[in-house]
Amino acid sequence: MTKLFSPLSIKSITLKNRIGISPMCQYMSVDGFANDWHLVHLGSRAIGGAGLIITEACAVEPNGRISPDCLGLYYDSHIEYLARITAFIKKYGAIPGIQLAHAGRKGSSIAPFKGFGRSKRSYLTKDNGGFDIFAPSPIPFESGAIIPHELTIEQIHKLISQFGQSAKRALKAGFQWLEIHAAHGYLINSFYSPLANQRQDKYGGSFDNRIRFLIEVIDSVKANWSDEYPVSVRLSITDHALGGFTIDDSVKLAKILKSLGIDLIDCSSGHVVKEQSLPSNDLKFQIDYAKTIKHEANIMTMAVGNIDSAKFAAYVIDENYADIALIARTAIKNPYFAFNAALELGITDTITLPQNYTYAI
Ligand SMILES: Cc1cc2nc3c(=O)[nH]c(=O)nc-3n(C[C@H](O)[C@H](O)[C@H](O)COP(=O)(O)O)c2cc1C
């Protein structure tokens, strides 16, 4: 029998199954505030049976948003509506997680559906509703993109503390899982990738210097978060580009993160530089990264990458690729993926819809 629907306990929480909803930007906020859209988007996936529901990238300061429409947790007043969402998710048996993020040089973008779509970014200048963007080095993500301001040491320290302040707010909002977004070329990733970081100070150059920002963010988050609840880190396991961060680098980093008390590595990849060369357009190859990190760094992992069927999700867990299978696009198409996967795999005792649904079917 598959382990996909067996509970997973980490620290004080227990996931009812190994299916998680991967973070997905909604571009539906005004000034970082969550609203009814987020309640329905996240709440419906909790009703749909997933054990873990992680919010979209949630910015720790206004300039850390990917677009002006992105979620944030930089005001105390952001807490109230998020608390309504976490209460709803918990009520229906899932664990609410938040992904804390800073967009770095990929900030001030236009929501994909308002611009050129997912395959090409478009940017907002300051006189057109955009905002200043910051990065370890003044290198734009691609030609034509906005040139980021190089962060000063004082600004770096302020950002590290802002991650901690947002973690404290996340706890107050009732989240029981915190993910640090250190992937996809956003700020943290652009510190540890040699392709985006050309600093000469203690935050650039050697491997140890490039990962320093992430380590200090983790310290700040952990000082403001609860030891009772898990912290995961999403990494771009490789840059898919010559001279970039490699799988071996990620194994080395994951071992360090484990020693710092990180509970799981969420294994994504790429999007650090425009000129990347993916092994395939079908992201299923990313599950291999989860397996490598899990076994070589001896830390729990989350796999993500076109996990599009019950059978494939079960395979990921049962063949020890990862401890949790995360789904994004499949969950857009089917918010009830977990419930339907259980039915398809013949599991009828461990997952149920809310009573007011089950009695009817
Ligand atoms: C609409 C959309 C928004 C996304 N937003 C985020 C995000 O906020 N943070 C993040 O780490 N990844 C984000 N991703 C990436 C997904 O979490 C996931 O890693 C990726 O889509 C691969 O999983 P899938 O093949 O199941 O879609 C987003 C993906 C989609 C489709």
Side-chain angles (χ1 to χ4, degrees):
M1 169 137 74
T2 178
K3 276 194 332 195
L4 186 62
F5 290 96
S6 63
L8 175 65
S9 295
I10 309 172
K11 296 192 162 154
S12 73
I13 60 120
T14 299
L15 301 178
K16 65 182 171 186
N17 58 50
R18 317 292 181 100
I19 297 172
I21 302 299
S22 199
M24 280 184 279
C25 290
Q26 297 299 299
Y27 308 100
M28 293 296 274
S29 294
V30 176
D31 198 9
F33 284 91
N35 55 47
D36 291 358
W37 175 266
H38 303 89
L39 175 67
V40 174
H41 166 69
L42 299 166
S44 57
R45 274 120 196 122
I47 292 175
L52 173 65
I53 314 283
I54 310 180
T55 68
E56 68 192 85
C58 182
V60 300
E61 63 132 342
N63 297 58
R65 290 172 298 167
I66 297 169
S67 78
D69 312 314
C70 286
L71 193 64
L73 197 36
Y74 42 81
Y75 302 143
D76 287 344
S77 50
H78 283 144
I79 295 172
E80 188 180 351
Y81 200 100
L82 288 170
R84 183 173 168 192
I85 296 175
T86 59
F88 187 90
I89 291 173
K90 288 180 206 170
K91 185 169 177 189
Y92 291 100
I95 296 293
I98 186 159
Q99 187 186 53
L100 291 186
H102 191 293
R105 68 178 182 168
K106 292 170 94 174
S108 200
S109 298
I110 304 173
F113 51 87
K114 296 180 186 169
F116 294 117
R118 276 195 87 206
S119 53
K120 188 172 180 346
R121 300 185 83 78
S122 28
Y123 300 89
L124 283 168
T125 52
K126 265 172 78 177
D127 52 8
N128 208 8
F131 43 82
D132 281 319
I133 58 171
F134 297 87
S137 303
I139 313 166
F141 172 66
E142 57 186 323
S143 70
I146 301 169
I147 298 176
H149 300 283
E150 181 173 35
L151 285 162
T152 64
I153 293 283
E154 292 70 35
Q155 287 170 329
I156 289 176
H157 290 164
K158 187 170 174 204
L159 282 167
I160 289 166
S161 121
Q162 284 168 321
F163 268 95
Q165 287 162 27
S166 293
K168 190 180 269 181
R169 293 187 189 106
L171 202 57
K172 283 194 183 144
F175 287 99
Q176 295 174 304
W177 184 295
L178 190 149
E179 171 154 295
I180 297 172
H181 194 350
H184 302 167
Y186 297 117
L187 185 66
I188 299 177
N189 195 179
S190 67
F191 267 94
Y192 69 77
S193 168
L195 298 178
N197 182 346
Q198 294 179 355
R199 296 180 75 93
Q200 309 286 325
D201 60 11
K202 66 174 187 165
Y203 290 99
S206 66
F207 177 90
D208 287 349
N209 281 355
R210 283 182 282 111
I211 66 165
R212 189 182 308 281
F213 182 68
L214 169 57
I215 303 235
E216 292 181 358
V217 164
I218 290 171
D219 286 346
S220 172
V221 163
K222 284 184 93 61
N224 288 283
W225 183 243
S226 164
D227 287 341
E228 299 283 294
Y229 297 138
V231 179
S232 58
V233 174
R234 174 166 273 199
L235 295 178
S236 274
I237 298 296
T238 161
D239 290 348
H240 299 296
L242 218 59
F245 211 70
T246 64
I247 300 172
D248 286 347
D249 289 331
S250 285
V251 170
K252 188 171 158 187
L253 176 56
K255 286 179 182 165
I256 295 169
L257 299 187
K258 184 179 181 188
S259 74
L260 296 173
I262 293 300
D263 301 287
L264 304 94
I265 305 294
D266 178 356
C267 301
S268 190
S269 71
H271 304 292
V272 179
V273 288
K274 183 76 185 162
E275 309 74 28
Q276 60 179 9
S277 159
L278 298 181
S280 149
N281 282 332
D282 182 345
L283 289 180
K284 287 187 171 72
F285 65 82
Q286 288 188 164
I287 70 161
D288 288 338
Y289 302 152
K291 189 171 204 175
T292 302
I293 299 294
K294 179 174 169 61
H295 296 283
E296 293 192 22
N298 194 22
I299 185 168
M300 284 190 282
T301 57
M302 305 203 268
V304 66
N306 201 15
I307 298 176
D308 57 354
S309 69
K311 264 192 187 152
F312 189 44
Y315 173 82
V316 165
I317 301 300
D318 295 335
E319 296 302 318
N320 272 313
Y321 279 80
D323 299 276
I324 296 171
L326 291 182
I327 54 168
R329 289 166 298 171
T330 294
I332 290 184
K333 288 187 265 186
N334 181 5
Y336 291 78
F337 173 83
F339 171 70
N340 285 312
L343 284 188
E344 192 184 324
L345 297 171
I347 316 278
T348 49
D349 54 341
T350 56
I351 183 164
T352 50
L353 292 172
Q355 281 177 351
N356 51 316
Y357 277 174
T358 43
Y359 92 93
I361 55 173

